[in-house]
Amino acid sequence: MVKHQPLQVYERQLCLSCLTGIYGCRWKRYQRSHDDTTKWEFLWSLILFFTFSLLLVWFYFWWEAHNDYNEFNWFLYNRSGEWSDGTVPILATTAAGFTYIAFLMILALCHIAMGQQLNLHWLHKIGVSAALLTTAIGFISVNQTWGEEWAVIPVSLQATGPFLHLGALVAVTALAWLVAGQIARTEKIRFQVVVLLLYLSVLLGLYMAPLSITSPCIMDHANLTPRPDVIGHLGAPMLAPENTILSFQRALQMNVSGLEADVAISFDGVPFLMRDRTLRRTTDVGKVFPARQLDDASSFNWTDLHSLNAGQWFLKDDPFWTVQSMAQREVMLVGNQGVCSLEQLLRLASLHNQTVVFSLRRPPHRHPCYHSWINDTLEVIRLSGIPQHLVMWTPDWDRGQVRQVAPGLQQTSVEKLPPQVLHQQGISSLLLRYSQASPYDIREFSRSNVSVTLYTVNEPWLFSVLWCSGVSSVSSEAPNILRKVPYPIWLMSPDEYCLIWVAADLISFTVVIGIFVFQNYHIIRWRLSGMHSYNPEQIMLSAAVRRSSRDVNIMKEKLIFSEVSNGVGSAEDLYMENGFDYYNNEGISH
């Protein structure tokens, strides 16, 4: 009569069935195998790992690119002519694909831990291929259409590098359990050496990785510069329609130190605020002037511009997902906004003694103000009454004439030039994208008395990195968010980071050694004790009791037959004691 097996045996069989069933649709015991993985399946395992790595980078890129989502949507609008949040489908598919591939990776690692043959089901192979193909297409598309955004990765690593390193160290340390088990099970010396050397190389690389990690936030606390000034880019476009009076008022309520806008020239010579070439996106021109909705914004006179509504689009499109949180009174204010002139902005800034920076777009060639656009703008600045030192002048055209007419303006360049060249041209400040200036560049410009303003900074992590870099000011679409960052998110001295680095390496090394000793304890004990009278199958079986494999089963059978021949017990009893069903050799209950 067959003895009943312990409950844990059934649980293990159930777990094994789920593991092999989900990964390879091998739900039955006879479908499972402990043979070595075939070369074809090994190739698919490499493809799975490569897809996982690619998706991990893709996921990280879009996670950190959150700072520039509005820029991405604006870019899509300029290409398609329709406004939509293009990041939603990208994020949804990325999250789904990454979760699926990560799940398959975990199943594959569990197969290795249990000594099971890897045999990915054909449906999963189609899924992996689809994930790999779509991710590769995504990389190519971003590289061709939004290539400058890749710069966010090295910038973000200045904030996340030390923490990603610790996470990678934990993951590779945990993999020591699988590596040690593989070495303990196999009898091929060459395979043992290759696996061990490969693992130790990766581990050693991680131990030394901090030598290549640089971050401006690793500095002495005493060297931290004052908090950068925040300039409201387009006002506070998360709280009110961009380039409207209400948006700039909301920015001032967020304690900004300056206001930034995009300026165009109307057909009758009035500078007004407009980011796009046309009026379609941010006004109701399609309703008021349906035949002219694709015309250049500069082709409208100020009377026509002043008649347009510049707030209803914000309530309809909700570009920053903030409309639902607005009170009814705020909704009414937003919906009644009109196109703002440059003079209105300058008077508001002068009233609050705030700096104004604007980019000035030259009118089309046949525009009446094509040649006088600089003088028209300077005249508006003079009439507004704003002190000249509060205006950052960015156009490169006729700087010499501008200095003669308005010598008090802050001459600002949007091109990164050496400090000596800037001084020769009478330029005292720079306005650059955040990825264009490294911490070293910022320090060099600061030493040369050139102030640097970086745009567009919306995320606290980016603001913290630039703060630690010593930047003097940033331009932001989210002053309401940066207002809540009174100190860098993280800051540690070099000694503190060195201590964390050494401690993490020592803990990891200790854990790895402990795992290898525990996994190979029986072989080490046998070799050190000199007890060479042990049955070889018994020694290898003891070294692999925590793993189920074809080799383990064969060793068990050899050991059982050896003990039966020595009169230790019956074959049936010995089979049951070793977790076998005497009749089918698989531990199947009856």
Side-chain angles (χ1 to χ4, degrees):
M1 183 176 179
V2 180
K3 297 180 181 179
H4 291 289
Q5 295 177 328
L7 179 61
Q8 55 267 31
V9 175
Y10 294 116
E11 293 176 347
R12 180 183 178 281
Q13 290 296 331
L14 179 60
C15 178
L16 196 56
S17 295
C18 293
L19 181 68
T20 56
I22 296 174
Y23 187 81
C25 201
R26 295 176 297 167
W27 299 95
K28 304 296 183 180
R29 292 182 179 88
Y30 69 85
Q31 294 176 317
R32 297 195 291 266
S33 174
H34 300 287
D35 294 336
D36 293 337
T37 300
T38 63
K39 293 182 179 180
W40 175 248
E41 290 299 329
F42 181 73
L43 176 62
W44 271 105
S45 300
L46 293 180
I47 294 174
L48 175 62
F49 176 74
F50 178 74
T51 304
F52 173 77
S53 302
L54 202 64
L55 266 171
L56 187 62
V57 176
W58 180 254
F59 182 84
Y60 179 81
F61 167 76
W62 281 104
W63 182 271
E64 298 300 339
H66 186 269
N67 182 82
D68 303 315
Y69 282 178
N70 188 56
E71 176 186 314
F72 177 73
N73 290 331
W74 188 65
F75 172 78
L76 292 180
Y77 168 77
N78 287 332
R79 291 177 65 92
S80 66
E82 297 294 333
W83 177 268
S84 63
D85 194 342
T87 62
V88 172
I90 293 176
L91 294 175
T93 54
T94 298
F98 181 76
T99 301
Y100 171 64
I101 297 299
F103 180 63
L104 290 182
M105 276 293 298
I106 293 174
L107 291 179
L109 293 176
C110 290
H111 271 69
I112 296 174
M114 300 292 288
Q116 291 290 316
Q117 183 188 55
L118 291 171
N119 186 15
L120 188 64
H121 193 260
W122 65 270
L123 282 177
H124 288 319
K125 290 176 181 176
I126 293 176
V128 171
S129 301
L132 178 60
L133 181 61
T134 53
T135 306
I137 293 174
F139 270 92
I140 295 173
S141 300
V142 169
N143 192 58
Q144 292 180 345
T145 59
W146 202 31
E148 65 177 6
E149 188 62 20
W150 290 119
V152 75
I153 292 182
V155 174
S156 68
L157 288 176
Q158 297 176 26
T160 62
F163 306 101
L164 292 178
H165 167 252
L166 290 177
L169 189 60
V170 170
V172 174
T173 300
L175 284 178
W177 184 268
L178 295 182
V179 175
Q182 287 291 98
I183 293 176
R185 285 198 304 270
T186 186
E187 298 179 18
K188 300 176 181 178
I189 301 299
R190 180 178 297 178
F191 179 80
Q192 290 176 328
V193 172
V194 170
V195 171
L196 185 61
L197 287 179
L198 182 62
Y199 177 76
L200 291 180
S201 299
V202 174
L203 194 63
L204 181 61
L206 283 175
Y207 286 164
M208 306 307 294
L211 292 175
S212 62
I213 294 177
T214 58
S215 172
C217 295
I218 301 177
M219 62 183 298
D220 291 326
H221 295 250
N223 296 332
L224 182 65
T225 57
R227 187 178 188 272
D229 294 331
V230 177
I231 298 174
H233 179 63
L234 311 179
M238 291 187 178
L239 306 178
E242 64 184 53
N243 280 327
T244 61
I245 283 294
L246 181 61
S247 181
F248 295 115
Q249 289 173 343
R250 293 293 177 264
L252 291 172
Q253 291 174 358
M254 299 297 112
N255 298 324
V256 298
S257 61
L259 302 171
E260 182 180 1
D262 300 302
V263 178
I265 309 292
S266 72
F267 198 76
D268 51 351
V270 178
F272 67 99
L273 310 187
M274 185 59 56
R275 184 183 188 186
D276 302 350
R277 279 284 180 183
T278 69
L279 303 172
R280 284 184 62 200
R281 181 175 68 90
T282 58
T283 71
D284 60 346
V285 66
K287 179 180 178 181
V288 180
F289 305 105
R292 303 180 61 192
Q293 58 181 323
L294 297 180
D295 292 354
D296 192 291
S298 297
S299 65
F300 291 78
N301 60 47
W302 175 243
T303 301
D304 293 340
L305 292 169
H306 193 61
S307 67
L308 298 175
N309 183 286
Q312 288 296 330
W313 75 272
F314 184 85
L315 301 176
K316 175 179 174 291
D317 295 337
D318 195 9
F320 293 96
W321 304 76
T322 54
V323 173
Q324 292 183 349
S325 62
M326 289 183 177
Q328 186 62 35
R329 180 178 176 275
E330 189 73 8
V331 170
M332 293 180 62
L333 283 174
V334 168
N336 291 324
Q337 292 302 300
V339 177
C340 180
S341 68
L342 176 60
E343 184 176 2
Q344 289 175 295
L345 171 61
L346 294 175
R347 291 186 182 279
L348 179 66
S350 177
L351 180 64
H352 293 83
N353 197 35
Q354 298 294 315
T355 300
V356 174
V357 53
F358 56 86
S359 58
L360 183 62
R361 186 168 68 246
R362 190 172 190 175
H365 183 69
R366 295 185 179 182
H367 194 280
C369 302
Y370 178 75
H371 297 288
S372 63
W373 62 300
I374 294 293
N375 290 330
D376 292 340
T377 306
L378 291 174
E379 180 65 15
V380 169
I381 293 174
R382 185 185 68 82
L383 293 176
S384 69
I386 187 173
Q388 292 185 5
H389 71 274
L390 292 179
V391 178
M392 296 176 63
W393 182 265
T394 61
D396 280 329
W397 289 273
D398 297 328
R399 281 194 184 271
Q401 178 187 349
V402 171
R403 279 195 292 268
Q404 292 178 359
V405 175
L409 297 179
Q410 293 186 51
Q411 293 296 324
T412 304
S413 174
V414 294
E415 182 182 0
K416 183 181 176 182
L417 298 171
Q420 55 271 27
V421 176
L422 295 175
H423 288 313
Q424 290 173 3
Q425 298 180 2
I427 296 174
S428 59
S429 58
L430 286 173
L431 179 64
L432 304 173
R433 195 173 191 270
Y434 67 83
S435 58
Q436 291 182 282
S438 66
Y440 174 80
D441 294 330
I442 294 172
R443 290 192 296 269
E444 287 299 306
F445 284 123
S446 178
R447 294 191 189 101
S448 302
N449 294 320
V450 176
S451 64
V452 179
T453 300
L454 300 181
Y455 66 89
T456 305
V457 181
N458 299 327
E459 291 295 306
W461 69 263
L462 181 56
F463 182 67
S464 299
V465 168
L466 297 179
W467 184 349
C468 295
S469 300
V471 71
S472 56
S473 59
V474 300
S475 177
S476 175
E477 296 171 334
N480 52 311
I481 294 177
L482 300 188
R483 183 187 183 186
K484 302 174 184 178
V485 187
Y487 199 75
I489 292 179
W490 68 272
L491 183 67
M492 68 177 74
S493 68
D495 291 339
E496 291 172 335
Y497 181 61
C498 185
L499 179 62
I500 294 175
W501 168 23
V502 174
D505 286 358
L506 289 177
I507 293 173
S508 171
F509 182 75
T510 303
V511 171
V512 169
I513 294 298
I515 290 174
F516 271 83
V517 170
F518 179 74
Q519 291 274 39
N520 297 272
Y521 169 72
H522 297 281
I523 293 180
I524 295 173
R525 185 180 65 175
W526 173 70
R527 288 178 177 174
L528 293 180
S529 63
M531 292 184 290
H532 303 288
S533 60
Y534 277 15
N535 189 323
E537 285 79 20
Q538 187 173 8
I539 296 170
M540 294 302 296
L541 179 59
S542 298
V545 291
R546 292 173 299 282
R547 299 288 185 272
S548 176
S549 67
R550 181 172 60 89
D551 296 336
V552 173
N553 294 338
I554 293 173
M555 286 187 286
K556 282 185 177 181
E557 290 181 350
K558 289 182 179 180
L559 181 59
I560 289 170
F561 289 131
S562 175
E563 292 182 345
V564 168
S565 63
N566 292 330
V568 175
S570 68
E572 181 179 351
D573 291 340
L574 289 171
Y575 262 82
M576 296 306 300
E577 290 174 3
N578 284 275
F580 277 84
D581 189 320
Y582 177 71
Y583 298 101
N584 54 24
N585 221 15
E586 270 290 341
I588 304 175
S589 60
H590 299 280

